[in-house]
Amino acid sequence: MQSWHGLDDVPDDWGRSVVTIGVFDGVHLGHQRMVARAVETARSLGLLSVVVTFDPHPDEVVRPGSHPPQLTTPRRRTELLASLGVDAVCVLPFTLEFSRMSPDEFVQTALVDRLHAACVVVGENFRFGHKAAGDLETLRTLGEKYDFVAEGVPLVSEGEAISSTLVRERLAAGDVAGAAAALGRPHRVEGVVVRGHQRGKALGFPTANVESPQHTAIPADGVYAGWLQCTQAPSPYEGERWPAAISIGTNPTFDGVERTVEAYALDRDDLDLYGAHVAVDFAERLRETLRFDSIEALISQMRADVDRAREVTSGR
């Protein structure tokens, strides 16, 4: 798969293609359906397929400070799109100047002049151009002008409307299983392992304290079952994945104030992951965050959490 950052990266000899456009945050089941339709159409026409997406999120540019929690990092989003069989992913830098393009300007500049679109596949609720003036019907009208067809795809799965907003709402409620059902895979939080207070190690459950990028969609405070994967680190850990018990919150038993994401790789007290890039995948919420009256009570509950996490992740 080819990956381009901006229209200038598109090869000069790029021929006609089938294009699908969207933010694609999360690459959820609705997005997957739309991309699958674009890939299917491209193959039937003997053309190549291109996904056009944006970075940063358009909301942050148009309404600064309103950036929604991010379900996937740009790198992860590209990886997920590549896994769907597309031939190229084009990430367009979303700037204030770009946001002021009229629908016609956007179509001519991006879809026609550079990508030579023969067909454009979008979600049925797709909006584009300055002040979101364009919609699917606008795109179809411009297709008649510029010689391409436009197709709208309902973003649904098994009869349920799927959206990034729905996934964020489920994560905010701690419903990581519901989020996974909409995503088609567990929700993932990525980041770098940093040094914390090392309380987990002292209690017998050494955790990886994961510092994630700004705007990351973090599930609600609580304890979860899932997996910890080392995505980038010196040997021998890179690529390894372990069942994990995951804690999100401020550690109220210790009067903490900083919200953290900490993952304990089950039955592993020998891992040194400081500085490693890791991914935390969430399977199920085990309980809410609690304040304990004693360290002994906390340790007892942690043992129960680990046992439950082992049950949840076993065989998955």
Side-chain angles (χ1 to χ4, degrees):
M1 188 205 74
Q2 299 189 50
S3 181
W4 308 320
H5 189 76
L7 294 171
D8 290 341
D9 276 359
V10 180
D12 291 336
D13 61 352
W14 187 256
R16 299 210 77 183
S17 58
V18 176
V19 183
T20 183
I21 315 166
V23 177
F24 294 106
D25 187 22
V27 193
H28 55 62
L29 290 177
H31 293 147
Q32 292 171 38
R33 179 176 182 177
M34 187 167 70
V35 174
R37 178 58 183 162
V39 170
E40 176 188 28
T41 301
R43 289 175 179 169
S44 69
L45 297 174
L47 302 176
L48 298 177
S49 55
V50 185
V51 172
V52 173
T53 185
F54 309 97
D55 187 52
H57 195 288
D59 284 356
E60 183 64 17
V61 175
V62 177
R63 294 178 293 277
S66 66
H67 196 304
Q70 192 170 32
L71 299 174
T72 49
T73 64
R75 177 180 175 181
R76 174 67 169 162
R77 186 178 15 163
T78 299
E79 290 175 350
L80 291 169
L81 291 169
S83 72
L84 299 177
V86 299
D87 297 299
V89 172
C90 183
V91 181
L92 297 184
F94 199 91
T95 64
L96 194 58
E97 180 182 9
F98 185 90
S99 74
R100 290 170 177 161
M101 279 188 177
S102 69
D104 194 306
E105 287 176 306
F106 170 74
V107 166
Q108 184 175 8
T109 300
L111 304 184
V112 178
D113 292 348
R114 296 301 296 168
L115 298 175
H116 311 298
C119 177
V120 180
V121 179
V122 295
E124 286 185 331
N125 60 348
F126 178 67
R127 306 295 301 223
F128 68 107
H130 186 48
K131 295 185 177 179
D135 58 12
L136 178 57
E137 288 308 310
T138 308
L139 193 61
R140 284 175 170 152
T141 299
L142 290 170
E144 294 175 0
K145 176 180 178 180
Y146 291 112
D147 190 28
F148 65 81
V149 297
E151 179 180 349
V153 175
L155 303 187
V156 299
S157 176
E158 298 182 355
E160 179 184 31
I162 306 293
S163 68
S164 298
T165 298
L166 172 68
V167 177
R168 295 186 190 104
E169 288 173 349
R170 289 180 176 177
L171 292 174
D175 182 12
V176 294
L183 290 169
R185 65 182 183 282
H187 174 62
R188 170 172 290 189
V189 169
E190 299 183 62
V192 177
V193 178
V194 298
R195 292 191 180 276
H197 296 286
Q198 297 186 307
R199 296 191 185 105
K201 184 176 182 179
L203 298 173
F205 302 94
T207 59
N209 189 344
V210 183
E211 186 176 81
S212 56
Q214 186 181 22
H215 303 307
T216 295
I218 306 289
D221 288 2
V223 176
Y224 298 83
W227 297 270
L228 173 65
Q229 179 174 345
C230 187
T231 56
Q232 184 181 339
S235 180
Y237 300 128
E238 186 167 350
E240 289 198 41
R241 186 173 188 251
W242 308 279
I246 307 151
S247 175
I248 299 176
T250 59
N251 292 307
T253 301
F254 297 97
D255 297 320
V257 294
E258 181 182 1
R259 191 167 186 250
T260 60
V261 177
E262 299 179 70
Y264 166 61
L266 303 188
D267 307 314
R268 295 297 300 265
D269 58 5
D270 58 332
L271 301 178
D272 182 0
L273 295 174
Y274 290 121
H277 290 256
V278 299
V280 179
D281 293 331
F282 293 84
E284 184 179 308
R285 192 177 196 222
L286 304 180
R287 63 173 175 85
E288 63 183 4
T289 298
L290 301 172
R291 182 186 182 96
F292 294 90
D293 295 331
S294 68
I295 300 300
E296 291 74 17
L298 171 60
I299 292 174
S300 177
Q301 181 60 60
M302 292 173 71
R303 287 174 178 157
D305 294 337
V306 166
D307 288 342
R308 179 61 183 142
R310 187 177 291 106
E311 292 175 7
V312 170
T313 57
S314 177
R316 291 198 185 186

